[in-house]
């Protein structure tokens, strides 16, 4: 899928043309539009299969959280650079033993005067190979009474001594990365939110990450591609059902985005949006395989939709894992949306 692809040149072009940070204040490099304008634009980005990994992390996820939680100094320093397409972020959350269970992270940040010394190992880090900065979940209080306490968020320059990046090829296209951090010095001024109070910032980050309106565009494009080779009424009926589900996913995403823009609790709504579109991606790929047959796996210009169906099929397995597994989304919906105990 396009979110698995990286293009520094494409990201820079989006910045030059003013497509980054549409709803951010003009003083911080944005255009001051309604947040729903951003969702509409991101859906079109997905429809046209732009390589969006750097954008989705730098702008949709991390940039929006910096806007809400970073200090004035950090916002003024970083957001105009992001909006201009000049600064790419990657996100250092997952670790070899802390994937869906983010509270068990082990990467440590030890305070020494006006700096932190960060050591640890991050994995499945999208865009680390092209990123300028990294957004890090770290443990700043190893003696905290509960795992989610004593966690903080830092941002660091990827050129800092002690950072090593190793690439991992993926079947879905592009690469993911491992990031090794060894006594990396990070100025204390690059703390996002409160010291030891990063859990709230992390949950806000995940809420923004899970509003994946670009994937609605991806699905709609593949459904358009499938219309041409299909002729029977029953086949077209299945596509119409999938289009209806895409519209539902679009509305769920807009609801979550509206809650986030108003500063209201959005965890359950964001998880509903994420679960809806990620499962729809898989159903669309499966429908394409069933309706088109072996030709669904043909890559390149000779494939269905110039290979878009094949790309979607390859990437679909990860759609219900990336950004939080489907089981995690259901748990969030049950607990925070329905008030269930488990």
């Amino acid at each position: 899928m396009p979110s698995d692809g990286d293009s520094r040149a494409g990201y820079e072009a989006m910045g030059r043309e003013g497509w980054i940070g549409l709803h951010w204040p003009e003083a911080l490099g944005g255009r001051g539009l309604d947040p729903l304008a951003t969702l509409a634009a991101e859906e079109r980005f997905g429809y046209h299969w732009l390589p969006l990994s750097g954008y989705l992390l730098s702008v949709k996820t991390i940039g929006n959280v910096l806007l809400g939680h970073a200090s004035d100094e950090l916002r003024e320093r970083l957001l105009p650079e992001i909006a201009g397409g000049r600064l790419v972020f990657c996100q250092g959350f997952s670790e070899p033993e802390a994937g869906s269970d983010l509270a068990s992270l082990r990467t440590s940040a030890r305070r020494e005067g006006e700096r932190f010394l960060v050591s640890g190992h991050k994995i499945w880090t999208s865009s680390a190979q092209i990123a300028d900065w990294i957004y890090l979940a770290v443990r700043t209080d190893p003696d905290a009474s509960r795992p989610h306490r004593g966690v903080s968020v830092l941002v660091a320059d990827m050129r800092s001594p002690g950072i090593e990046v190793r690439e991992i090829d993926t079947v879905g296209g592009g690469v993911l990365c491992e990031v090794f951090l060894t006594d990396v010095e990070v100025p204390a001024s690059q703390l996002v939110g409160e010291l030891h109070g990063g859990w709230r910032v992390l949950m806000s980050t995940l809420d923004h990450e899970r509003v994946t309106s670009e994937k609605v565009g991806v699905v709609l494009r593949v459904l358009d591609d499938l219309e041409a080779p299909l002729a029977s009424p029953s086949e077209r009926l299945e596509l119409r059902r999938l289009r209806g589900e895409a519209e539902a996913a679009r509305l769920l995403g807009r609801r979550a985005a509206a809650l986030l823009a108003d500063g209201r609790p959005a965890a359950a709504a964001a998880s509903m949006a994420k679960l809806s579109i990620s499962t729809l991606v898989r159903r669309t790929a499966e429908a394409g395989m069933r309706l088109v047959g072996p030709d669904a796996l043909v890559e390149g210009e000779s494939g269905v939709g110039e290979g878009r169906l094949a790309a979607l099929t390859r990437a679909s397995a990860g759609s219900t894992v990336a950004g939080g597994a489907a089981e995690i989304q259901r748990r969030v919906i049950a607990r925070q949306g329905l008030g269930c105990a488990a």
Side-chain angles (χ1 to χ4, degrees):
M1 296 180 67
S3 59
D4 292 324
D6 288 292
S7 170
R8 185 68 188 241
Y11 179 78
E12 291 171 351
M14 292 174 74
R16 287 195 304 271
E17 297 299 323
W19 288 107
I20 294 180
L22 293 178
H23 65 279
W24 295 355
E26 293 184 19
L28 296 175
R31 294 170 64 178
L33 302 180
D34 187 285
L36 294 183
T38 296
L39 260 67
E42 289 172 354
E43 184 177 314
R44 299 312 294 173
F45 297 160
Y47 186 87
H48 291 288
W49 283 65
L50 302 186
L52 291 177
S53 183
Y55 172 92
L56 296 176
L57 289 170
S58 305
V59 185
K60 183 173 73 70
T61 303
I62 296 167
N64 283 330
V65 175
L66 293 176
L67 184 65
H69 293 275
S71 65
D72 290 342
E73 176 190 352
L74 268 184
R75 283 198 295 263
E76 292 167 4
R77 178 182 178 188
L78 299 177
L79 289 179
E81 292 299 300
I82 295 173
R86 298 181 293 273
L87 193 156
V88 175
F89 261 97
C90 62
Q91 179 175 289
F93 278 15
S94 294
E95 299 181 3
E97 297 182 12
S100 295
D101 184 13
L102 184 57
S104 65
L105 67 89
R106 296 181 178 180
T107 296
S108 66
R110 186 175 73 255
R111 182 74 180 260
E112 290 191 356
E114 292 305 308
R115 66 176 184 172
F116 291 93
L117 289 180
V118 180
S119 293
H121 178 193
K122 300 294 183 179
I123 197 168
W124 317 128
T125 309
S126 300
S127 301
Q129 80 280 8
I130 66 166
D132 304 296
W133 282 61
I134 185 168
Y135 180 85
L136 284 167
V138 296
R139 187 162 299 285
T140 47
D141 182 2
D143 301 319
S145 59
R146 297 181 64 182
H148 68 276
R149 296 175 180 169
V151 171
S152 301
V153 176
L154 298 171
V155 290
D157 193 322
M158 287 292 283
R159 296 168 297 185
S160 303
I163 296 181
E164 178 187 357
V165 176
R166 298 179 189 172
E167 297 183 8
I168 305 169
D169 292 330
T170 73
V171 70
V175 300
L176 296 172
C177 297
E178 290 183 278
V179 180
F180 298 87
L181 305 113
T182 305
D183 290 333
V184 178
E185 294 188 16
V186 179
S189 61
Q190 292 172 200
L191 175 72
V192 179
E194 298 179 0
L195 181 64
H196 311 321
W199 193 252
R200 177 169 169 262
V201 179
L202 295 179
M203 294 304 98
S204 177
T205 308
L206 293 175
D207 289 346
H208 282 283
E209 182 179 11
R210 289 167 178 167
V211 183
T212 52
S213 55
E214 74 287 345
K215 288 185 173 62
V216 175
V218 167
V219 167
L220 291 174
R221 182 62 179 274
V222 171
L223 293 175
D224 283 350
D225 293 336
L226 283 168
E227 285 280 359
L230 302 180
S232 76
S234 61
E235 291 174 337
R236 292 184 179 274
L237 178 59
E238 181 162 8
L239 296 187
R240 292 191 186 100
R241 287 175 179 150
L242 292 170
R243 288 185 187 279
E245 293 184 35
E247 179 62 26
R250 173 190 285 150
L251 295 175
L252 287 170
R254 289 181 178 179
R255 176 172 176 263
L259 291 172
L260 287 167
D262 289 343
R264 297 161 62 190
S271 286
M272 290 179 191
K274 167 66 169 64
L275 182 62
S276 173
I277 190 59
S278 62
T279 54
L280 177 58
V281 165
R282 294 194 67 169
R283 284 198 295 275
T284 302
E286 290 165 0
M289 288 282 291
R290 185 171 60 257
L291 295 172
V292 177
D295 286 347
L297 298 178
V298 176
E299 305 275 356
E301 294 183 1
S302 59
V304 177
E306 299 180 334
R308 283 184 288 270
L309 177 57
L312 184 80
T313 301
R314 282 189 288 104
S316 62
S319 69
T320 54
V321 177
E327 292 78 6
I328 298 297
Q329 308 310 320
R330 292 187 178 98
R331 184 175 298 176
V332 172
I333 294 166
R335 287 179 172 175
Q336 301 196 36
L338 302 176
C340 299

